[in-house]
Amino acid sequence: MSAALTAESLGLDSPSAMVQTDVLIIGAGLAGLSTALALPKSLNITILSKAALEICSSHYAQGGIAASLDKEDSVADHIADTLIAGAGLCEASNTSRILSAGQQAVQWLCEQGVPFTQIPQQDNAKPVTKLQTELQTTDLHLTREGGHGCRRVAHADDATGRHIMEALTIKAQNAANITILPYHEALSLLTNSANPNNQCQGAQVFDHNNQRQLTFYSHAVVLASGGLGQLFKRASAPNVCVGDGVMMAWQAGCRLANLEFIQFHPTGLAVADSSFLISEALRGEGGHLTCPQTGARFMLEIDERAELAPRDIVARAIAEQISNNGLGYVHLDVSHLPEQFLREHFPQIYQTLFNLGIDMTREPIPVAPTAHYSCGGVVTDANGVTDLIGLYAAGEVAYTGLHGANRLASNSLLECVVVGRNIAADLPRYLKALENLNHVTSYDHSNLLATAIWTAPTLKDIQTIKLPSSPTILFNSSHCDNDIVTNDHAGKIVTELKVLMTSYMGITRNAESLEQILIQIQQWQQWLEKIRLNQSSMGTLDGTITADELTLFQLARQLQLATLIIQSAYQRYESRGGHYRQDYPHLASTPRTSVIVPLSKLREADKTGSKEGGIDWLL
C-alpha cells in the first residue's frame, strides 16, 4: 500500500463502497505493473490482484525475455523467427512495433532493478549492475530457446519472472500514487451503454477480505488479468487464471480472436499433479528429449531443429511418444552437460527436482506437455487499445497478433513490458481528449470527437465464429433431473471440465470429440439454469453478489468461455500452429484470424431477428 493512498482514503472502510480512481488496473502481473510504473505520477492508480501478489503467471516465468540484444542479432531476425513460429497468423505491423522496442524494454527493466544474469566479468573489470544509456548488450548472458535462430533470451538465473516481479512490486509499493489491493476480484466492467459514445468507466469488484461487492469508478481501465490455463487439468498457470478478463471484455463490447490457439509447453514436470515447468532453456543449452524405454532421441526424426523446434511441433511429438509408450511422460536428459554449469544456471530447477529425489545432473527428468499460454484473447493494437472506449488490455488476456498461431518462446514477457509502456504513453492523451469531449454539448460533435480520440483496432482476413443467436439464454431444462446444484457440485463440475478440456481440446482435436464436450457443457448449463442463475443476471451483476453466488457465477462464466474456445476450434477446418485437427491435418490456403463478435452485437442481432452469426448448438 502506498503512503498517499490507503483503504480509508479510497473509501474502502465503508460497508458498501464506491471508489473513485484515475486509472484502474485489473491484474498485478508484469503487464499491469509495467503500465502503472510508466504512467505519469500525477495520476492516482489502483491495481487489483485477485489473490496474493505472487499468484500470477508472470511470477512463475522461468526462461526470460526475448530481445535482439546480441551484436550478431537483429530485430529483423527476431521478427522473422516470430513470424515462422506464428505460422502465418502474426499481425505484421504489431509484431514489428513490439519486437522493435525489445532493447528499450530490457533497459527499462534493468533501471527498475531487475538483476539479469550477466556474463562473468574478468577480475580487472568493474561489475555491471545495469544497462548503460547506450546498451552494452554483451554484458548480459543470453540463452536460446525453441524457434529462435540465435541466443537472444535475457534471463535472471532460471527464475526470471520472480526476479522481475519482486523488483517491480517493490517499486509499485513505494510509489505514492499507486495503491495495490490484493484479494480483490473484478467481476464485470462498468460501461455507460446508454450513451452513444459508450466507454468503460470502472468495474464491479468482489473484496474477498471482507466478503463484499465494491464499485470502482475510473477514467480509464487497463485489463491485465492474465490467461485461461486453469480450464485444463495440467496447467502451468496459477489457479486464478480462468479467463475471466476475456469474458468481462467480451460482455462489455470487445471482440475476441484466435481463442483456439492454446499453447502447450512441451516439458512440464510429469510427477504427480505438479504444475512446475522445466524451462525450455535446458533444451536451448543442449538438453535431449529421449524415449524412456530405449533412451533414443526422437526429435531428430521429427524436425531438423530437433529439440529446438517451435513448441507446437515439440509438444505434438512428445504427446505421440506418450501415446505409444503408455507411461505418461518422456525423458529430458541434461546429464551430459557440466554439473557446475547446470547448478549455476538452473538453481531453482535443480533444487526443486533434487527435493523430489531427481538429480538432473545424473539422471533424466520425466516431462509431459502442459497447458501454458493463450495466444488469442481480447483484440487490441500495439498500444493496448480495445474496441471499448477507455478500456486498454495487455499481456496474456490480449490479442495483439504478436503470437499468431504459436507463441515464440520468451516473447510474452517482452509483450507485457512493451504494450504496458505503450498504454502508459497513450492513456494521458486519451484522458486529455476525454476531458475536452466532456465540455462539448453537441451530440453530433461529441460523436465525431469520440471517433477521433479512440480508434478501434483493425483486423484483416478474418473468419467470424458463429455462435447461438441467444447466447444469454440457457438451454431448456425439461430433460434435466431433479438434483439441486450445490457449491460442492459446482467444484466437481470445474474438475470434470478441466479433464474434458485436456482430453478433447488439448494438443490434438477432432469434430467428434469437440461435439461431445459441447453436449456435456450444455447439460451443466442446464443445471445452472435450474437454480435460477441464468447467464443474463449473472453477466450484468445489477445487484450485489454473495460469496456463495460467486462460486456459481464463476462456474457459469468458465462454461461459457469453454464454449467459445471449443466453437473456435470446431470451426477452424485446418491444422496450424498450436491448433491440430486430426480430421483436417493440412493448412488452409489462406490464414485467417477467427473472431468472436461482442456479446452486445449478438444480443442486437437476436432482437432484430437477424440470424447472421447464429447457429444451433451441435446436438
Side-chain angles (χ1 to χ4, degrees):
M1 185 71 68
S2 66
L5 298 177
T6 64
E8 290 74 18
S9 66
L10 284 173
L12 293 179
D13 54 339
S14 62
S16 180
M18 290 189 295
V19 186
Q20 180 68 52
T21 186
D22 291 330
V23 181
L24 179 66
I25 299 178
I26 300 173
L30 180 56
L33 292 186
S34 295
T35 304
L37 290 170
L39 279 167
K41 298 188 184 305
S42 58
L43 294 173
N44 289 329
I45 301 164
T46 302
I47 304 175
L48 306 180
S49 176
K50 190 191 295 188
L53 298 185
E54 67 273 13
I55 307 300
C56 67
S57 293
S58 299
H59 184 89
Y60 298 107
Q62 293 177 341
I65 180 169
S68 52
L69 301 172
D70 189 84
K71 61 183 179 181
E72 301 297 328
D73 194 10
S74 69
V75 173
D77 287 343
H78 190 181
I79 292 173
D81 288 344
T82 299
L83 296 179
I84 291 171
L89 279 182
C90 294
E91 204 290 318
S93 176
N94 290 346
T95 298
S96 178
R97 275 199 62 193
I98 293 169
L99 299 186
S100 295
Q103 286 193 351
Q104 293 88 340
V106 175
Q107 177 176 353
W108 181 80
L109 288 173
C110 288
E111 291 168 354
Q112 307 312 306
V114 177
F116 285 109
T117 299
Q118 299 161 16
I119 295 174
Q121 301 294 310
Q122 305 234 342
D123 291 341
N124 59 353
K126 295 182 179 180
V128 179
T129 57
K130 68 176 182 177
L131 291 176
Q132 306 303 315
T133 303
E134 296 197 5
L135 292 173
Q136 302 295 318
T137 56
T138 54
D139 294 327
L140 295 179
H141 181 271
L142 304 177
T143 190
R144 183 180 177 186
E145 296 185 347
H148 290 277
C150 65
R151 290 178 175 267
R152 65 163 66 96
V153 180
H155 63 101
D157 296 329
D158 60 345
T160 307
R162 176 168 59 82
H163 288 296
I164 290 177
M165 292 304 298
E166 287 175 351
L168 267 58
T169 298
I170 290 172
K171 286 278 187 178
Q173 289 174 329
N174 290 333
N177 66 317
I178 297 175
T179 299
I180 305 176
L181 298 175
Y183 301 101
H184 281 67
E185 177 178 355
L187 302 177
S188 66
L189 298 174
L190 297 178
T191 63
N192 58 343
S193 55
N195 189 310
N197 298 320
N198 185 31
Q199 66 193 69
C200 189
Q201 297 181 312
Q204 295 283 2
V205 176
F206 192 81
D207 172 7
H208 286 277
N209 290 321
N210 298 293
Q211 298 291 291
R212 59 178 178 166
Q213 186 173 323
L214 308 172
T215 302
F216 282 77
Y217 291 101
S218 63
H219 301 304
V221 176
V222 179
L223 191 60
S225 53
L228 47 81
Q230 279 296 320
L231 291 181
F232 296 83
K233 181 180 179 181
R234 285 183 54 84
S236 61
N239 59 10
V240 296
C241 296
V242 291
D244 43 3
V246 170
M247 292 301 292
M248 283 189 287
W250 181 63
Q251 291 169 334
C254 294
R255 291 167 294 166
L256 308 178
N258 282 358
L259 291 185
E260 66 270 34
F261 291 103
I262 310 294
Q263 184 179 77
F264 285 75
H265 194 292
T267 54
L269 178 61
V271 174
D273 293 327
S274 174
S275 61
F276 189 73
L277 288 184
I278 306 300
S279 174
E280 195 159 307
L282 276 171
R283 283 179 281 134
E285 296 295 345
H288 297 158
L289 289 168
T290 64
C291 172
Q293 295 156 321
T294 67
R297 293 173 66 186
F298 54 85
M299 284 305 302
L300 295 171
E301 300 177 359
I302 303 294
D303 192 284
E304 63 182 6
R305 294 161 290 188
E307 284 84 2
L308 291 179
R311 286 179 173 177
D312 61 316
I313 296 174
V314 180
R316 280 197 298 275
I318 293 175
E320 183 177 359
Q321 287 284 320
I322 290 173
S323 177
N324 293 336
N325 67 33
L327 298 175
Y329 60 88
V330 297
H331 277 155
L332 174 61
D333 191 359
V334 294
S335 61
H336 56 284
L337 299 177
E339 179 177 344
Q340 183 178 351
F341 171 82
L342 290 173
R343 289 192 180 196
E344 289 179 354
H345 283 260
F346 303 100
Q348 178 182 241
I349 295 175
Y350 172 81
Q351 193 60 51
T352 299
L353 292 174
F354 193 80
N355 291 343
L356 292 171
I358 301 171
D359 183 350
M360 72 179 193
T361 68
R362 290 177 170 78
E363 56 189 315
I365 308 164
V367 296
T370 182
H372 184 51
Y373 194 87
S374 174
C375 295
V378 181
V379 174
T380 75
D381 64 12
N383 289 331
V385 171
T386 72
D387 294 327
L388 179 61
I389 297 175
L391 177 67
Y392 295 87
E396 193 173 353
V397 71
Y399 170 82
T400 62
L402 170 64
H403 308 305
N406 179 50
R407 177 175 67 91
L408 184 64
S410 291
N411 270 354
S412 51
L413 293 186
L414 177 66
E415 183 184 40
C416 287
V417 177
V418 172
V419 177
R421 281 162 48 83
N422 286 352
I423 291 173
D426 187 76
L427 197 149
R429 175 207 59 79
Y430 164 69
L431 294 183
K432 181 64 176 177
L434 184 64
E435 182 180 354
N436 294 335
L437 178 64
N438 290 335
H439 293 305
V440 178
T441 57
S442 167
Y443 170 86
D444 291 335
H445 194 195
S446 66
N447 198 37
L448 288 173
L449 278 176
T451 304
I453 67 173
W454 193 270
T455 303
T458 57
L459 296 174
K460 296 182 291 186
D461 294 324
I462 69 170
Q463 173 193 355
T464 301
I465 299 302
K466 297 179 180 179
L467 297 173
S469 56
S470 300
T472 60
I473 300 176
L474 292 183
F475 306 97
N476 190 310
S477 60
S478 60
H479 300 295
C480 290
D481 55 36
N482 294 320
D483 293 338
I484 299 299
V485 179
T486 65
N487 284 355
D488 288 341
H489 194 172
K492 293 177 182 177
I493 291 176
V494 169
T495 300
E496 292 180 29
L497 175 64
K498 291 183 178 186
V499 173
L500 287 177
M501 290 291 286
T502 300
S503 299
Y504 297 153
M505 256 302 298
I507 295 173
T508 60
R509 303 145 186 186
N510 60 64
E512 181 180 0
S513 61
L514 294 175
E515 290 168 3
Q516 289 177 4
I517 189 173
L518 282 173
I519 292 171
Q520 179 61 76
I521 289 175
Q522 180 192 28
Q523 293 173 352
W524 287 329
Q525 289 174 314
Q526 288 174 334
W527 294 333
L528 283 175
E529 181 188 35
K530 194 172 181 180
I531 59 169
R532 298 180 180 179
L533 282 174
N534 61 67
Q535 282 186 308
S536 59
S537 66
M538 287 162 51
T540 57
L541 290 171
D542 292 329
T544 59
I545 189 170
T546 66
D548 289 340
E549 290 169 340
L550 179 61
T551 299
L552 298 175
F553 167 72
Q554 292 166 332
L555 170 60
R557 193 159 57 184
Q558 288 182 47
L559 293 176
Q560 181 65 72
L561 176 56
T563 298
L564 299 182
I565 296 170
I566 296 163
Q567 287 284 5
S568 297
Y570 187 86
Q571 295 175 49
R572 182 174 286 278
Y573 306 124
E574 64 164 348
S575 291
R576 184 183 297 274
H579 172 72
Y580 187 82
R581 286 281 297 262
Q582 294 168 319
D583 44 355
Y584 293 98
H586 304 296
L587 285 172
S589 57
T590 302
R592 298 190 182 279
T593 300
S594 60
V595 174
I596 299 173
V597 301
L599 177 59
S600 57
K601 289 190 176 181
L602 291 175
R603 285 173 172 161
E604 289 172 8
D606 189 44
K607 288 179 182 178
T608 60
S610 169
K611 295 301 179 183
E612 181 179 355
I615 61 171
D616 292 331
W617 287 83
L618 304 167
L619 293 175

Coordinates of all heavy atoms in Angstrom, one line a residue, residues 195-224:
N195 N -25.2 5.9 -23.5 CA -24.5 7.0 -24.2 C -24.0 6.4 -25.6 O -23.4 5.4 -25.6 CB -23.4 7.5 -23.4 CG -22.8 8.8 -24.0 OD1 -22.5 8.9 -25.2 ND2 -22.7 9.8 -23.1
P196 N -24.3 7.2 -26.7 CA -23.8 6.7 -28.0 C -22.2 6.6 -28.0 O -21.7 5.8 -28.8 CB -24.2 7.8 -28.9 CG -24.5 9.0 -28.1 CD -25.0 8.5 -26.8
N197 N -21.6 7.3 -27.1 CA -20.1 7.2 -27.0 C -19.8 6.2 -25.8 O -19.2 6.6 -24.8 CB -19.4 8.5 -26.8 CG -19.7 9.5 -27.9 OD1 -19.6 9.0 -29.1 ND2 -19.9 10.7 -27.7
N198 N -20.2 5.0 -26.0 CA -20.1 4.0 -24.9 C -18.6 3.9 -24.5 O -17.7 3.8 -25.3 CB -20.6 2.7 -25.4 CG -20.6 1.6 -24.3 OD1 -20.7 1.9 -23.1 ND2 -20.3 0.4 -24.6
Q199 N -18.4 4.0 -23.2 CA -17.0 3.9 -22.7 C -16.9 3.2 -21.4 O -17.9 3.1 -20.7 CB -16.4 5.3 -22.5 CG -17.1 6.1 -21.4 CD -16.7 7.6 -21.5 OE1 -17.1 8.3 -22.4 NE2 -15.9 8.0 -20.5
C200 N -15.8 2.7 -21.1 CA -15.5 1.9 -19.9 C -15.3 2.9 -18.8 O -14.4 3.8 -18.9 CB -14.3 1.0 -20.1 SG -14.1 -0.2 -18.7
Q201 N -16.0 2.7 -17.6 CA -15.9 3.7 -16.5 C -15.5 3.0 -15.2 O -15.6 3.7 -14.2 CB -17.2 4.4 -16.4 CG -17.6 5.2 -17.6 CD -18.9 5.9 -17.4 OE1 -19.9 5.3 -17.0 NE2 -19.0 7.2 -17.7
G202 N -15.0 1.8 -15.2 CA -14.7 1.1 -14.0 C -15.0 -0.3 -14.0 O -15.1 -1.0 -15.0
A203 N -15.3 -0.9 -12.8 CA -15.6 -2.3 -12.7 C -16.3 -2.6 -11.4 O -16.1 -1.9 -10.3 CB -14.3 -3.1 -12.7
Q204 N -17.1 -3.6 -11.4 CA -17.7 -4.2 -10.2 C -16.6 -5.2 -9.6 O -16.1 -6.0 -10.4 CB -19.0 -4.9 -10.5 CG -20.1 -4.0 -10.9 CD -20.7 -3.3 -9.8 OE1 -20.3 -3.4 -8.6 NE2 -21.8 -2.5 -10.1
V205 N -16.4 -5.2 -8.4 CA -15.3 -5.9 -7.8 C -15.8 -6.6 -6.5 O -16.6 -6.1 -5.7 CB -14.1 -5.0 -7.4 CG1 -13.0 -5.7 -6.7 CG2 -13.6 -4.3 -8.7
F206 N -15.3 -7.9 -6.3 CA -15.6 -8.6 -5.1 C -14.4 -8.6 -4.2 O -13.3 -9.0 -4.5 CB -16.0 -10.0 -5.4 CG -16.6 -10.7 -4.2 CD1 -17.9 -10.5 -3.8 CD2 -15.8 -11.6 -3.4 CE1 -18.5 -11.1 -2.7 CE2 -16.3 -12.2 -2.3 CZ -17.7 -12.0 -1.9
D207 N -14.6 -8.0 -3.0 CA -13.5 -7.9 -2.0 C -13.5 -9.2 -1.1 O -14.4 -9.4 -0.3 CB -13.8 -6.7 -1.1 CG -12.8 -6.6 0.1 OD1 -11.9 -7.4 0.2 OD2 -13.1 -5.7 0.9
H208 N -12.6 -10.1 -1.4 CA -12.6 -11.4 -0.7 C -12.2 -11.2 0.8 O -12.5 -12.1 1.6 CB -11.6 -12.3 -1.4 CG -12.1 -12.9 -2.7 ND1 -12.9 -14.0 -2.7 CD2 -11.9 -12.5 -3.9 CE1 -13.2 -14.2 -4.0 NE2 -12.6 -13.3 -4.8
N209 N -11.4 -10.2 1.1 CA -11.1 -9.9 2.5 C -12.3 -9.7 3.4 O -12.3 -10.2 4.5 CB -10.1 -8.8 2.6 CG -8.7 -9.0 2.0 OD1 -8.2 -10.1 2.2 ND2 -8.2 -8.1 1.3
N210 N -13.2 -9.0 2.9 CA -14.4 -8.6 3.6 C -15.7 -9.2 3.1 O -16.8 -8.8 3.6 CB -14.5 -7.0 3.7 CG -13.3 -6.4 4.4 OD1 -13.1 -6.6 5.6 ND2 -12.5 -5.7 3.6
Q211 N -15.6 -10.0 2.1 CA -16.8 -10.7 1.6 C -17.9 -9.8 1.2 O -19.0 -9.8 1.6 CB -17.3 -11.7 2.6 CG -16.3 -12.9 2.9 CD -16.1 -13.8 1.7 OE1 -17.0 -14.6 1.4 NE2 -14.9 -13.8 1.2
R212 N -17.5 -8.8 0.3 CA -18.5 -7.8 -0.1 C -18.2 -7.3 -1.6 O -17.1 -7.5 -2.0 CB -18.5 -6.6 0.8 CG -17.1 -5.9 0.8 CD -17.0 -4.7 1.7 NE -15.7 -4.2 1.7 CZ -15.4 -2.9 2.2 NH1 -16.4 -2.1 2.7 NH2 -14.2 -2.5 2.2
Q213 N -19.2 -6.8 -2.2 CA -19.0 -6.3 -3.6 C -18.8 -4.8 -3.5 O -19.4 -4.0 -2.8 CB -20.3 -6.6 -4.4 CG -20.1 -6.2 -5.9 CD -21.3 -6.7 -6.7 OE1 -21.8 -7.8 -6.5 NE2 -21.7 -5.9 -7.7
L214 N -17.8 -4.3 -4.3 CA -17.5 -2.9 -4.4 C -17.6 -2.4 -5.8 O -17.6 -3.2 -6.8 CB -16.0 -2.7 -4.0 CG -15.6 -3.2 -2.6 CD1 -14.1 -3.1 -2.4 CD2 -16.4 -2.6 -1.5
T215 N -17.8 -1.1 -6.0 CA -17.9 -0.5 -7.3 C -16.7 0.5 -7.4 O -16.6 1.4 -6.6 CB -19.2 0.3 -7.5 OG1 -20.3 -0.6 -7.3 CG2 -19.3 0.9 -8.9
F216 N -15.9 0.3 -8.4 CA -14.7 1.2 -8.7 C -15.0 2.0 -9.9 O -15.3 1.4 -11.0 CB -13.4 0.3 -8.9 CG -12.8 -0.1 -7.6 CD1 -13.3 -1.2 -7.0 CD2 -11.7 0.5 -7.1 CE1 -12.8 -1.7 -5.8 CE2 -11.1 0.0 -6.0 CZ -11.6 -1.1 -5.3
Y217 N -15.0 3.3 -9.8 CA -15.1 4.2 -11.0 C -13.8 4.8 -11.4 O -13.0 5.1 -10.5 CB -16.1 5.4 -10.6 CG -17.5 4.9 -10.4 CD1 -18.1 4.8 -9.2 CD2 -18.3 4.7 -11.5 CE1 -19.4 4.4 -9.0 CE2 -19.6 4.3 -11.4 CZ -20.2 4.1 -10.1 OH -21.5 3.7 -9.9
S218 N -13.5 4.8 -12.6 CA -12.2 5.3 -13.1 C -12.4 6.0 -14.5 O -13.4 5.7 -15.2 CB -11.2 4.2 -13.2 OG -11.6 3.2 -14.1
H219 N -11.5 6.8 -14.8 CA -11.5 7.5 -16.2 C -11.0 6.5 -17.3 O -11.4 6.7 -18.4 CB -10.6 8.7 -16.1 CG -11.0 9.7 -15.1 ND1 -12.3 10.2 -15.1 CD2 -10.4 10.3 -14.1 CE1 -12.4 11.1 -14.0 NE2 -11.2 11.1 -13.4
A220 N -10.2 5.5 -16.9 CA -9.7 4.5 -17.8 C -9.4 3.3 -17.1 O -9.1 3.3 -15.9 CB -8.4 5.0 -18.5
V221 N -9.6 2.1 -17.8 CA -9.3 0.8 -17.2 C -8.3 0.1 -18.0 O -8.4 0.1 -19.3 CB -10.6 0.0 -17.1 CG1 -10.4 -1.4 -16.6 CG2 -11.7 0.7 -16.2
V222 N -7.4 -0.6 -17.4 CA -6.4 -1.4 -18.1 C -6.6 -2.9 -17.6 O -6.6 -3.2 -16.4 CB -4.9 -1.0 -17.7 CG1 -3.9 -1.9 -18.4 CG2 -4.7 0.4 -18.1
L223 N -7.0 -3.7 -18.6 CA -7.2 -5.1 -18.3 C -5.9 -5.9 -18.5 O -5.4 -6.0 -19.6 CB -8.3 -5.6 -19.3 CG -8.9 -7.0 -19.0 CD1 -9.6 -7.0 -17.6 CD2 -9.9 -7.3 -20.1
A224 N -5.4 -6.4 -17.4 CA -4.1 -7.2 -17.4 C -4.3 -8.4 -16.5 O -3.4 -8.7 -15.7 CB -3.0 -6.3 -16.9

